[in-house]
Amino acid sequence: MTTIAPRATTAAVPAGRRRRNLDQWAAWGFLLPVTVYLAVFYAYPLFRNIDLSLRNYTVRSFVQGDAPFTGLANYGTVLGDPTFLPALVHTAVFTGASIAFQYTVGLALAVFFRQRFRLSATLRAMFLVPWLLPLIVSASTWSWMLNSDSGIVNTALGLVGLGPVNWLTSPQWSLVSVLIANIWIGIPFNLVILYSGLQTIPDSLYEAAALDGASAWQRFWRITFPLLRPVSAITLLLGLIYTLKVFDVIWIMTRGGPTDSSTTFATWSYRLGFGTLLPSFGPAAAVGNLLVVTALVFGLVYIRFQRKLEAS
Amino acid sequence: MTLALLARRWRTGVALLLTAIMLFPVYWMLTVSFTPEQDMRKSPPDLFPVHGTLDGYRAALTEQLPYLGTSVVIALGTVVLTVALSAPAGYALAKLRPRGAGVLNFVLLAAQMVPGIIMAMGFYAIYLDLGLLQSIPGLIVADSTIAVPFGVLIFAALMSTIPDELLQAARTDGASRLRTFWSIVLPMSRNGVVTVSVFAFLWAWSDFVFASTLDNGGAHEPITLGIYHYIGNNNQQWNAIMATAVVASIPATLLLIVAQRYVAAGVTAGAVKD
Amino acid sequence: MKTSTPRRLAGVAVAVTAAVGLTACGSTGGGAGAASTDYTVWDPYPQFDGNAAWTKLVESCGDKAGVKVKRTAFDTTDLTNKVLLAAQQGNAPDVLVVDNPVVSTLADAGVLAATDDTKIETSGVDPNLLGAGQLGGKTYGTPIGANTLALFYNKAILQAAGVDPASVKDWASLTAALAKVAGAGKKGITFSAIGTEEGSFQFLPWFWGSGAQLNQLDSAQGVAALTLWSDWLKAGYAPNSVINNTQTTSWQDFAAGNVAFAENGTWQLGNAKKLGFEYGTITVPAQHGGAAPVPTGGEFVTVPTQKDTARYATDQKIVSCLTNPDNIYATDATLSYVAPAAAVQQKQAAADPALQVWVDAVHAAKGRTSDNLGTKYPKISEQMWTAVQATLSGSKSPAAALQAAQAAAGKG
């Protein structure tokens, strides 16, 4: 092989690099539609949200468009507000408990439905019905069921000898009530994705393990759970993001009350911006951005986790 | 009866019980849809609407069917758009290793964190300039923003389980990337397509924020807006609202049952020689 | 493949900047706007569909004014937000029917045009009703009708408990009546104490009936009013669900025959005829006797500011048509409102003598934003309903809750 003079600038590009460049172009070709889509449709609203949080908006200046730039003043107002700490705690509890229960129940149901029996496909589809209902309907139904005086839940409690609980009207129980409703609404999401993920695990693995004498629990813990890790990770992350944004259910059931006992960042943001007769858009956007930042932090954690999975 | 058959019957029984518990609130919704106005707050409540009324259903069936049709069109349109946009992107992220994939992943996650009402306000401004307010295509595009980032991530996660050897084999046989995607990856991602379709359909079906901001007063409104006809400024007709929800759920449930049958088991079993 | 974090952040920054640049280029400005022959009317009556009398009225008023009118209905709690968004983008409707406590806020934001500019006639309207639509000496619309609150009662329950409705004259006699009803096994009274404007609306007769004023929430009288409600809840005279009740669900409680008294409004008169029992009405009593001042409900017909002021002439024709005596008589019959002008009120009372009680109540009513409260009212109202919720749910004592409310309301 002749050596090529190092000074030669017209040296041929090594074949490997050319191949990789073509690969890159091809990959971005597949990604182009989504990238354009993201740029056009998400950039403007996100920019508007940041802009709203950096200015001092009154109703008048929102309409006329002449709000003064005030830097991080809105964030200061939000952090100093007495509602901030309760909202933070409630958001953490609401989100943590929601995804814990939704994931566990969804996984249990997915594993259960993986077995073949009569009606399994139909019943699995029926589990999605909660998702079909408009939120005003499901949240209202739960409100009616949990009504202190005429709700079926308190009637049932009475039949078993327990006293009535003020589910929606007492500060102690309001968060639990919206939590129950939210878990109910979120189980189908987890069920569908985890079930889909379970389908990618070949039956042959289970057969081999059964032949080796593994019990059902061992099969789950040694085969199902580890192989389900990438799908579980994305399910938990998406569950987290969507639960952080939940406000319809809480708003319709308790409006974040009484006395902020079921207020999360999402409901607080909505209340500041759209839930009063006198909107304060700046603080509302500031709370919304705090939510986005929280979610982004978990997003970074997820990407780290994904990298580790790929490396192994 | 063999042990296997007994086990199967028992499983069906347990499944029925679990479904019944899960769907009890839906049963309650059904009950309310038959309850006349004066019994709405009966204490203790009737488990079964003894003095039922069909007023709610009469209202729903005579007034809400056009909205139902519009909802179906919008939801199906959203499904097509979402899958078309997100499947290729998911494939690229899962298998093609582009530079800057990390950034895109990040942006996709961030895109889902923007609250719906903020997105709707942004869309309002854009659509007003483009003249797309109160139009069905506009609403389809807006509803797809709920599902596309999710779709990309799900496709990426599920497509990453497709064995590389399969795709390598196709490349050495001379297939282009596009061909590989169309003929091998997509058919093997049936689960992914069905999953993303189901979610896109359900999100578009139950969307209220975009419909209310971008299509209120339009010639064709979806069912989520139609329901608000029963929420007057001073009075709400709850049996009609629940009846509408029931009537609206039936076609969607049927579609879901059909879709679930397509989620095949063991897609990769036997595809690659050991 | 290692991508360092700084490079990744830079990538994100570039992407965002590019996107912002793109959007800045194609940015807003008064949008395309409606065609100049298409006039839009927005109202908070989604219960009226294409075939309802109101819709036909709106369209016929448009025809009389020589233009095509497109009517859009919104959920009343959402209408303000939609109007603000539309006004910001230059897409405000030509005629806007909106709930009266919001009128001052919209006027202050420059969204509504004053009657000086739009030349709408308001001379025939009762002054106490017009007050809600006035700000800084200018008027911004005209009422479509008014409603207010009173106490409905279930004749059978009161008879069984041995209570004579005529004996309920002040708070003491009302509480005594509730005690008798509770003794006979039924709930005494239901109302709406929800954490929205509805809750404030329902609390105001008691608040004003004690002599308190809205600019001083934590006066002794205000505390007395809140203590009245809180004592009722503690004694079990009012059900716990009032904390979450809207006026509709409170009415459903009454209609189910569970409660003796219900605080509700004139708009329920249509539903009252469908009750399965005999009912009566009395005015809400003040603390020491007499009728308590009650707040006015009902919507205003307003004209949002338009860039093209030539449109005001047509808008004025549409508004006059909507609010002329015959049309207002028909509309108010459908909505179960009391008419805003004396002549039409007489016609209503002549057609249905039972309405005279309500007409008198409306005469004695006050606007929530009057007393020069205007745009301060929303903030005060929010603090008031928060205080009511805190007290009724047991978190704070009435005095503490109202003190906190006054401090927060004074800050704004």
Side-chain angles (χ1 to χ4, degrees):
Chain A
M1 246 193 312
T2 54
T3 49
I4 301 172
R7 248 182 284 122
T9 49
T10 50
V13 176
R17 176 108 70 84
R18 198 191 314 134
R19 179 71 178 280
R20 276 205 296 285
N21 277 341
L22 262 178
D23 281 359
Q24 290 297 310
W25 280 112
W28 277 98
F30 275 90
L31 288 172
L32 191 63
V34 158
T35 318
V36 170
Y37 178 86
L38 285 174
V40 172
F41 292 117
Y42 291 87
Y44 182 62
L46 196 54
F47 165 70
R48 275 292 286 163
N49 206 32
I50 299 180
D51 178 72
L52 271 176
S53 70
L54 296 177
R55 290 176 187 274
N56 182 12
Y57 275 97
T58 60
V59 182
R60 185 183 183 85
S61 53
F62 179 76
V63 172
Q64 309 294 342
D66 53 3
F69 183 80
T70 53
L72 297 175
N74 285 322
Y75 290 94
T77 317
V78 160
L79 286 169
D81 194 295
T83 317
F84 178 78
L85 211 50
L88 181 63
V89 170
H90 296 146
T91 310
V93 168
F94 183 76
T95 311
S98 279
I99 51 180
F101 278 97
Q102 287 169 355
Y103 176 76
T104 321
V105 174
L107 185 57
L109 286 170
V111 169
F112 180 75
F113 273 106
R114 192 171 194 272
Q115 303 159 84
R116 245 148 278 153
F117 51 85
R118 283 262 295 269
L119 293 181
S120 68
T122 317
L123 290 178
R124 219 175 52 231
M126 300 287 285
F127 261 86
L128 288 186
V129 172
W131 257 41
L132 285 178
L133 308 172
L135 276 169
I136 170 114
V137 169
S138 18
S140 300
T141 308
W142 275 100
S143 276
W144 290 52
M145 286 178 27
L146 292 174
N147 188 285
S148 319
D149 305 297
S150 54
I152 188 78
V153 174
N154 273 348
T155 313
L157 286 179
L159 287 176
V160 228
L162 296 167
V165 174
N166 292 328
W167 294 102
L168 301 173
T169 53
S170 83
Q172 291 80 25
W173 288 101
S174 57
L175 191 60
V176 173
S177 310
V178 295
L179 198 51
I180 296 176
N182 191 46
I183 292 172
W184 181 79
I185 293 178
I187 289 176
F189 175 77
N190 286 264
L191 172 59
V192 171
I193 301 190
L194 291 170
Y195 183 80
S196 229
L198 282 179
Q199 301 303 83
T200 62
I201 303 176
D203 279 331
S204 48
L205 284 177
Y206 288 113
E207 282 154 19
L211 281 175
D212 281 345
S215 71
W217 174 252
Q218 276 173 323
R219 286 203 298 271
F220 172 77
W221 197 243
R222 295 277 171 80
I223 303 179
T224 313
F225 199 64
L227 286 179
L228 212 48
R229 265 214 277 260
V231 178
S232 293
I234 191 77
T235 310
L236 286 171
L237 178 72
L238 288 178
L240 179 94
I241 296 178
Y242 298 150
T243 310
L244 280 176
K245 287 203 296 184
V246 161
F247 93 93
D248 270 359
V249 175
I250 306 179
W251 191 254
I252 295 172
M253 286 176 76
T254 62
R255 295 204 179 256
T259 61
D260 289 345
S261 51
S262 53
T263 297
T264 61
F265 278 157
T267 58
W268 191 23
S269 170
Y270 186 79
R271 189 177 82 206
L272 285 171
F274 305 100
T276 72
L277 292 178
L278 204 55
S280 356
F281 293 109
V287 176
N289 285 329
L290 283 179
L291 261 184
V292 173
V293 166
T294 314
L296 281 180
V297 166
F298 282 99
L300 282 173
V301 168
Y302 167 77
I303 292 185
R304 268 266 159 101
F305 179 74
Q306 204 188 22
R307 290 266 162 98
K308 260 201 293 184
L309 266 186
E310 279 166 21
S312 65
Chain B
M1 249 199 267
T2 66
L3 206 59
L5 195 59
L6 202 59
R8 292 249 287 274
R9 293 268 170 91
W10 181 80
R11 278 194 209 119
T12 307
V14 171
L16 278 168
L17 183 64
L18 289 174
T19 314
I21 297 177
M22 180 75 180
L23 291 188
F24 182 75
V26 179
Y27 169 73
W28 199 250
M29 180 186 86
L30 257 168
T31 313
V32 174
S33 70
F34 286 109
T35 309
E37 277 297 317
Q38 62 264 27
D39 286 343
M40 283 288 177
R41 288 278 144 162
K42 197 146 162 251
S43 167
D46 289 328
L47 257 184
F48 191 78
V50 225
H51 301 120
T53 172
L54 284 177
D55 285 344
Y57 284 94
R58 243 175 255 135
L61 288 170
T62 50
E63 295 160 15
Q64 299 291 340
L65 291 181
Y67 300 118
L68 208 54
T70 310
S71 272
V72 172
V73 169
I74 293 176
L76 290 178
T78 308
V79 165
V80 169
L81 185 60
T82 304
V83 173
L85 279 174
S86 50
Y91 168 61
L93 284 179
K95 292 291 169 193
L96 297 180
R97 309 242 157 280
R99 290 251 286 276
V103 175
L104 191 62
N105 244 338
F106 197 68
V107 173
L108 282 169
L109 286 175
Q112 297 187 77
M113 298 164 191
V114 186
I117 183 80
I118 303 291
M119 293 286 289
M121 283 170 59
F123 269 99
Y124 184 84
I126 298 176
Y127 278 12
L128 185 59
D129 282 340
L130 294 176
L132 278 175
L133 275 183
Q134 301 182 344
S135 73
I136 291 190
L139 199 49
I140 290 180
V141 173
D143 283 345
S144 68
T145 61
I146 312 174
V148 164
F150 167 81
V152 175
L153 291 170
I154 289 291
F155 273 124
L158 289 176
M159 282 177 182
S160 66
T161 62
I162 297 177
D164 284 327
E165 300 85 31
L166 213 57
L167 305 172
Q168 214 34 49
R171 294 278 293 158
T172 38
D173 279 348
S176 74
R177 285 229 167 52
L178 204 54
R179 186 86 205 286
T180 315
F181 174 71
W182 190 253
S183 315
I184 302 184
V185 175
L186 215 44
M188 285 183 78
S189 307
R190 216 159 41 150
N191 289 355
V193 172
V194 173
T195 308
V196 173
S197 303
V198 164
F199 280 112
F201 184 87
L202 290 175
W203 276 327
W205 185 263
S206 55
D207 159 68
F208 171 73
V209 176
F210 284 124
S212 136
T213 311
L214 303 172
D215 195 23
N216 208 328
H220 302 284
E221 289 178 352
I223 195 91
T224 43
L225 289 186
I227 274 191
Y228 272 80
H229 284 255
Y230 301 124
I231 300 183
N233 63 322
N234 275 326
N235 263 322
Q236 293 103 39
Q237 255 185 288
W238 282 104
N239 49 17
I241 294 174
M242 299 302 185
T244 309
V246 170
V247 166
S249 305
I250 298 176
T253 310
L254 290 173
L255 273 168
L256 277 179
I257 295 182
V258 168
Q260 284 283 297
R261 292 194 180 280
Y262 275 96
V263 180
V267 175
T268 58
V272 178
K273 282 249 186 73
D274 293 348
Chain C
M1 189 178 28
K2 279 206 286 227
T3 332
S4 61
T5 318
R7 270 182 75 197
R8 193 150 10 109
L9 284 176
V12 174
V14 168
V16 171
T17 321
V20 168
L22 275 171
T23 51
C25 289
S27 67
T28 67
S36 51
T37 50
D38 237 17
Y39 279 65
T40 47
V41 172
W42 287 8
D43 64 53
Y45 306 133
Q47 69 268 33
F48 295 145
D49 62 12
N51 299 323
W54 166 256
T55 315
K56 298 222 164 61
L57 174 63
V58 170
E59 284 164 5
S60 79
C61 284
D63 292 335
K64 286 207 196 92
V67 295
K68 186 164 176 310
V69 160
K70 184 159 183 306
R71 172 207 167 228
T72 310
F74 291 83
D75 179 29
T76 186
T77 51
D78 206 22
L79 181 54
T80 315
N81 303 327
K82 294 289 190 301
V83 169
L84 288 176
L85 183 59
Q88 183 196 55
Q89 301 294 325
N91 196 27
D94 287 288
V95 174
L96 173 67
V97 181
V98 75
D99 202 18
N100 73 65
V102 179
V103 174
S104 326
T105 309
L106 290 178
D108 187 56
V111 174
L112 299 179
T115 50
D116 299 337
D117 301 321
T118 56
K119 309 279 182 278
I120 294 179
E121 260 306 309
T122 54
S123 49
V125 178
D126 286 348
N128 69 326
L129 296 179
L130 198 58
Q134 290 173 320
L135 184 72
K138 292 196 187 181
T139 312
Y140 287 92
T142 181
I144 192 108
N147 57 55
T148 190
L149 294 168
L151 283 182
F152 290 77
Y153 62 84
N154 183 327
K155 285 197 180 153
I157 297 184
L158 287 189
Q159 228 170 14
V163 174
D164 176 16
S167 70
V168 174
K169 295 245 175 284
D170 55 16
W171 288 7
S173 48
L174 177 56
T175 310
L178 296 182
K180 277 205 189 146
V181 170
K186 292 274 186 185
K187 289 280 183 190
I189 185 168
T190 177
F191 44 86
S192 158
I194 193 177
T196 67
E197 180 58 23
E198 276 192 281
S200 283
F201 188 66
Q202 290 247 319
F203 184 59
L204 275 174
W206 311 97
F207 185 77
W208 282 336
S210 68
Q213 294 301 322
L214 280 172
N215 53 13
Q216 192 65 39
L217 287 173
D218 55 354
S219 61
Q221 297 110 322
V223 175
L226 191 47
T227 312
L228 180 74
W229 269 18
S230 136
D231 285 346
W232 283 347
L233 240 88
K234 282 201 208 123
Y237 301 155
N240 180 274
S241 45
V242 294
I243 300 179
N244 225 9
N245 264 352
T246 59
Q247 292 177 98
T248 303
T249 47
S250 170
W251 178 259
Q252 282 166 347
D253 242 344
F254 181 67
N258 298 334
V259 255
F261 288 95
E263 181 192 356
N264 226 302
T266 43
W267 63 86
Q268 298 289 13
L269 285 176
N271 291 336
K273 299 205 176 74
K274 297 191 215 144
L275 284 173
F277 50 82
E278 275 197 52
Y279 76 95
T281 52
I282 54 171
T283 56
V284 178
Q287 186 173 14
H288 303 294
V294 280
T296 51
E299 289 78 38
F300 263 61
V301 185
T302 64
V303 174
T305 348
Q306 305 290 331
K307 270 203 215 85
D308 175 15
T309 50
R311 288 170 92 90
Y312 288 158
T314 321
D315 295 339
Q316 186 263 338
K317 289 202 195 104
I318 299 178
V319 173
S320 308
C321 167
L322 286 173
T323 54
N324 78 32
D326 292 315
N327 289 335
I328 262 206
Y329 180 73
T331 308
D332 286 341
T334 323
L335 290 168
S336 292
Y337 285 1
V338 171
V344 193
Q345 285 167 359
Q346 278 164 2
K347 202 169 154 196
Q348 284 182 319
D352 181 4
L355 272 178
Q356 188 61 43
V357 179
W358 295 102
V359 172
D360 294 336
V362 164
H363 275 163
K366 20 199 253 193
R368 286 165 267 176
T369 48
S370 29
D371 292 342
N372 251 330
L373 281 175
T375 49
K376 290 200 220 111
Y377 174 73
K379 192 127 217 270
I380 298 176
S381 170
E382 183 176 350
Q383 294 310 321
M384 190 164 70
W385 80 59
T386 309
V388 170
Q389 289 251 304
T391 308
L392 293 186
S393 64
S395 319
K396 289 203 174 107
S397 75
L402 284 173
Q403 259 160 20
Q406 179 62 24
K411 243 198 286 175

